[in-house]
Amino acid sequence: MQKHSTPGCGRSAKLLSKCAGTGPLGERLWPELQVDDGDLVVEKAAASAFFPGRCPLTGLLERRGIDTVLITGTFTYVCCEFSARDASTLGYRVIMVVDADDARRDEDHHATVRTIHRTFGDVRPTADVLALIHNHGPHGRRR
């Protein structure tokens, strides 16, 4: 398993202070995240983005015929893991993007990654995910 490099908590805390909170959703996203007009942006009110009644994501994905989700986020062992577990339970193909998740401690990150890989989905680095998207297109068809 690759060594996971956790960024300094000071930098992450500073960036996170610009996210979340109150105000328009678009202004509370990660400062470096580029959102295009066709992107779905939803707000969740639970640790899992797939918990019934706490986020509209599942309905939006179903209406679009999306069956695969990529899991990325700030705390691998909390929201990322909860979302991956619930998505898997609902029948989605789950891919945890291992180098696009983070944790305060490497051992917390690695424990969740092992759990997801063993039971709930696939685990791949960003480069592999981008290659899959490039080779199969955004709708899963081989190019």
Side-chain angles (χ1 to χ4, degrees):
M1 182 173 288
Q2 282 184 316
K3 173 79 171 116
H4 174 71
S5 297
T6 304
C9 290
R11 180 178 183 274
S12 294
K14 185 176 180 179
L15 288 171
L16 283 172
S17 72
K18 297 177 183 178
C19 303
T22 59
L25 183 57
E27 295 175 11
R28 293 184 279 140
L29 298 174
W30 191 258
E32 298 169 14
L33 181 65
Q34 178 183 336
V35 180
D36 294 325
D37 290 337
D39 292 342
L40 294 175
V41 178
V42 297
E43 188 164 15
K44 64 183 184 70
S48 170
F50 294 88
F51 193 85
R54 303 302 297 259
C55 181
L57 183 59
T58 303
L60 294 168
L61 296 175
E62 286 175 2
R63 283 193 287 283
R64 287 165 176 78
I66 296 171
D67 65 356
T68 302
V69 295
L70 304 175
I71 304 292
T72 67
T74 308
F75 291 107
T76 311
Y77 57 97
V78 184
C79 296
C80 297
E81 181 174 359
F82 287 26
S83 293
R85 287 171 177 254
D86 286 347
S88 176
T89 299
L90 292 170
Y92 289 96
R93 178 172 183 229
V94 173
I95 301 173
M96 179 168 275
V97 187
V98 69
D99 56 350
D101 295 303
D102 202 1
R104 291 182 186 208
R105 300 179 325 148
D106 285 347
E107 40 289 349
D108 295 332
H109 175 79
H110 291 305
T112 294
V113 167
R114 283 190 296 275
T115 297
I116 298 304
H117 186 258
R118 268 194 321 263
T119 310
F120 299 103
D122 198 1
V123 175
R124 297 192 179 234
T126 300
D128 286 4
V129 172
L130 293 175
L132 286 169
I133 292 169
H134 177 75
N135 292 334
H136 296 277
H139 304 290
R141 295 183 199 99
R142 185 170 274 297
R143 291 185 176 179

